[in-house]
């Protein structure tokens, strides 16, 4: 699965339009002056997630973990995250969508 590498300034949102940001990144590798993000880094979803609160639903999204990443490109021995990867939000079980990231470096 090929895709563009994710970095700390990539625009990532949950299925309910909540902004998501990585909790960690690589200090050693940067793309366009932004650190790349590796697995198993989790993402924190902002409180603007519009998933229905408990009793009406199971939201809002709080965190997300990437379930797939690059198989051939690694940083510090960890796979880099790709815009084509999959993530699951907790507690809703929905995914994350990469809206924008750099478009110069691809990984597999």
């Amino acid at each position: 699965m090929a895709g563009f590498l994710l970095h700390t300034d990539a625009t990532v949102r949950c299925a309910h339009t909540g902004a998501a940001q990585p909790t960690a990144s690589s200090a050693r590798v940067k793309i366009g002056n932004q650190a790349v993000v590796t697995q198993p880094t989790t993402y924190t979803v902002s409180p603007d997630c519009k998933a229905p609160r408990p009793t009406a639903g199971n939201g809002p999204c709080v965190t997300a973990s990437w379930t797939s990443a690059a198989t051939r490109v690694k940083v510090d021995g960890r796979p880099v995250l790709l815009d084509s990867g999959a993530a699951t939000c907790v507690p809703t079980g929905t995914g994350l969508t990469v809206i924008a990231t750099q478009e110069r470096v691809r990984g597999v």
Side-chain angles (χ1 to χ4, degrees), residues 1 3-7 10-14 19-24 36-45 63-70 79-90 94-101:
M1 155 182 65
F4 292 111
L5 276 63
L6 291 184
H7 56 77
T11 304
V12 180
R13 300 207 177 273
C14 73
Q21 290 293 316
T23 58
V36 298
V37 184
T38 59
Q39 199 174 35
T41 299
T42 58
Y43 273 61
T44 301
V45 180
T63 62
S65 296
W66 292 84
T67 56
S68 64
V80 296
L81 296 180
L82 304 173
D83 67 346
S84 59
T88 303
C89 293
V90 174
T94 59
L96 289 180
T97 302
V98 178
I99 307 298
T101 190

